[in-house]
Amino acid sequence: MDTSRPARVGRQHILEVAERLFTEHGYRATSIREIAQACGVTNAALYYYFPSKEALFFEVMQRHAERLRQRMTEAGARTQTPRERLAAILREYTHIVTDQDSPFFLLRRGARGFKQRKALRTRFGRLMTTMLAPMQETLAEALAAGELRSQPDPAEAAAMLIGMLHGLVQHRRTCTDHNPPTSDEDVDLIVDVFWQGMSVTTC
Amino acid sequence: MDTSRPARVGRQHILEVAERLFTEHGYRATSIREIAQACGVTNAALYYYFPSKEALFFEVMQRHAERLRQRMTEAGARTQTPRERLAAILREYTHIVTDQDSPFFLLRRGARGFKQRKALRTRFGRLMTTMLAPMQETLAEALAAGELRSQPDPAEAAAMLIGMLHGLVQHRRTCTDHNPPTSDEDVDLIVDVFWQGMSVTTC
């Protein structure tokens, strides 16, 4: 192996291996050395691409968020109206985030060990913007069509909608004994309340 | 000091001292010994009332939540309609939870160090039920008056409303550079969207 030319093992390959190890063993339990070994390169070769384990982790998260965004956009593409699209996207989001064995959850849990709270917040902001984009775009479309009110703006409205979902999930998880899973019917009810609330009133 | 009769230093006094120390120094940095010393009793006297530091902490939190509930109920009492009451209560809640120097935040931060995640969840569920009670009661009242739809029920609706607020606060905190504080106007906008969404449609 020629470690003087780290470019031979691609950035993408490192990201894939890192995602697998972070997901399987958690962030803290996975060292740069283990990732490098699993990729068949030296630590130095890995640092050629990523300045730190944190930086590598955030790239893994961002890449993961882009894939989830793609999944949500695809779920929305099979619908006719903005309202149906919003429901389809939120259902897909719910499947992703409420599955506690999903890579999303496992990776997020890993982030608990982070020391730099401020950098973490900024990075999570970017992830959330990625995740919320399909909803925000759908709301902007409905606003442009004159269906929805302009305040709150699409970005804030999307954040509120997600908040309604998380509020319900949290309530179920902490306040009920049996902790029922969030169903598509729950999501549809949330979208129903939200859409009616955001609608331009015509009466 | 007669330590064979621990009842001489009251439970309430211990809770007050513990709340002050937890708030000032954080949960982890505060030991049972320090609390006992500040109360002028032995560790044994303190354990007479509280089996563990965790148990003492949860009592402190629950007591604190009851006071916040009281504050919200009082804020709501100065209004005429259920809708106005809901807005007043949510404004008060916002003042409480978005103030990062508030005892509520300081105490909550302390809970991060907890090992028993499941017990923590159950306890937090109880705290949230206490905190949401004034909103839930107001929603139940409006439902009984035929103003609001029956699904989601008042408990779930209150959880969604709080979720909208937290979604917006989180969005502002992570996605904007200047992180504007949540204003009464923001709260009113949330209540406006929520109330319209929950209203029984008459047209």
Side-chain angles (χ1 to χ4, degrees):
Chain A
M1 186 178 62
D2 179 4
T3 54
S4 68
R5 292 173 58 200
R8 289 176 83 184
V9 169
R11 196 181 152 78
Q12 288 306 315
H13 179 63
I14 295 171
L15 284 166
E16 274 158 34
V17 170
E19 175 158 356
R20 182 170 54 75
L21 292 176
F22 283 142
T23 308
E24 282 174 12
H25 310 285
Y27 173 76
R28 260 178 286 199
T30 307
S31 67
I32 279 284
R33 206 151 97 98
E34 283 165 314
I35 298 168
Q37 278 178 348
C39 295
V41 300
T42 61
N43 291 9
L46 207 140
Y47 281 121
Y48 172 82
Y49 291 111
F50 305 98
S52 64
K53 188 171 125 180
E54 281 86 356
L56 174 55
F57 182 75
F58 279 125
E59 280 280 315
V60 165
M61 286 291 280
Q62 186 60 41
R63 205 162 143 268
H64 191 72
E66 299 286 356
R67 281 206 302 276
L68 297 180
R69 172 192 180 145
Q70 185 64 26
R71 262 178 65 181
M72 287 188 271
T73 303
E74 282 164 15
R78 294 186 288 272
T79 55
Q80 304 293 320
T81 67
R83 196 200 140 130
E84 287 168 11
R85 187 139 56 255
L86 191 69
I89 292 168
L90 193 63
R91 265 185 241 128
E92 190 66 26
Y93 176 89
T94 306
H95 298 161
I96 292 165
V97 301
T98 59
D99 173 9
Q100 300 231 2
D101 297 323
S102 75
F104 183 77
F105 251 93
L106 295 169
L107 288 170
R108 231 173 74 131
R109 207 169 295 151
R112 283 205 192 127
F114 275 57
K115 294 272 174 271
Q116 301 157 291
R117 309 301 300 177
K118 200 150 191 180
L120 183 67
R121 182 187 286 181
T122 310
R123 289 300 203 134
F124 257 115
R126 213 170 302 167
L127 291 177
M128 281 314 290
T129 305
T130 304
M131 300 281 287
L132 292 184
M135 289 173 230
Q136 188 177 335
E137 287 156 15
T138 305
L139 291 169
E141 190 189 343
L143 169 63
E147 288 186 67
L148 299 184
R149 51 162 97 191
S150 58
Q151 287 299 322
D153 68 42
E156 297 196 335
M160 287 181 195
L161 175 63
I162 286 293
M164 290 174 84
L165 175 75
H166 286 287
L168 180 67
V169 171
Q170 182 117 340
H171 169 76
R172 295 261 181 89
R173 194 173 291 157
T174 55
C175 302
T176 58
D177 292 333
H178 52 297
N179 185 16
T182 312
S183 66
D184 284 354
E185 286 70 33
D186 291 326
V187 174
D188 289 347
L189 180 61
I190 288 169
V191 171
D192 197 42
V193 171
F194 176 78
W195 196 271
Q196 182 179 313
M198 284 293 294
S199 291
V200 174
T201 44
T202 50
C203 55
Chain B
M1 188 176 63
D2 179 6
T3 54
S4 67
R5 293 173 59 198
R8 290 176 82 185
V9 170
R11 198 181 150 78
Q12 288 307 316
H13 179 64
I14 295 171
L15 284 166
E16 274 157 35
V17 171
E19 175 158 357
R20 184 169 55 75
L21 292 175
F22 283 142
T23 309
E24 282 173 13
H25 308 134
Y27 174 75
R28 260 177 286 199
T30 306
S31 67
I32 279 283
R33 206 151 95 98
E34 283 166 314
I35 298 168
Q37 278 177 348
C39 294
V41 300
T42 61
N43 291 8
L46 207 140
Y47 282 120
Y48 172 81
Y49 291 111
F50 306 97
S52 64
K53 186 170 128 180
E54 282 85 358
L56 173 56
F57 182 76
F58 279 125
E59 281 280 314
V60 165
M61 287 291 281
Q62 187 59 41
R63 208 163 142 270
H64 191 72
E66 299 287 355
R67 281 207 302 275
L68 297 180
R69 172 191 181 148
Q70 186 62 26
R71 263 179 63 180
M72 287 189 272
T73 303
E74 281 164 15
R78 293 186 287 272
T79 56
Q80 304 294 321
T81 68
R83 196 199 141 132
E84 287 168 9
R85 186 141 54 256
L86 191 68
I89 292 168
L90 193 63
R91 265 184 242 128
E92 190 66 26
Y93 177 88
T94 305
H95 299 161
I96 292 165
V97 300
T98 59
D99 173 9
Q100 300 232 358
D101 296 322
S102 75
F104 183 77
F105 251 94
L106 295 169
L107 287 171
R108 230 173 76 129
R109 207 170 294 151
R112 283 204 191 127
F114 275 57
K115 295 272 174 272
Q116 301 157 291
R117 309 300 301 177
K118 202 149 189 180
L120 183 67
R121 181 187 287 180
T122 310
R123 289 299 202 135
F124 258 115
R126 213 170 303 166
L127 290 178
M128 281 314 291
T129 305
T130 303
M131 300 280 288
L132 291 184
M135 290 174 230
Q136 188 178 334
E137 287 156 15
T138 305
L139 291 168
E141 190 188 343
L143 169 64
E147 288 187 67
L148 299 185
R149 50 162 98 195
S150 58
Q151 287 299 323
D153 67 41
E156 296 196 334
M160 287 182 196
L161 175 63
I162 286 294
M164 290 174 85
L165 176 74
H166 286 287
L168 181 67
V169 170
Q170 181 118 341
H171 169 75
R172 293 262 180 89
R173 194 172 292 157
T174 55
C175 301
T176 57
D177 292 333
H178 52 296
N179 185 17
T182 312
S183 66
D184 284 354
E185 286 72 32
D186 292 326
V187 174
D188 289 347
L189 180 62
I190 289 169
V191 171
D192 197 44
V193 171
F194 176 79
W195 195 271
Q196 182 178 312
M198 285 293 295
S199 290
V200 174
T201 45
T202 49
C203 54

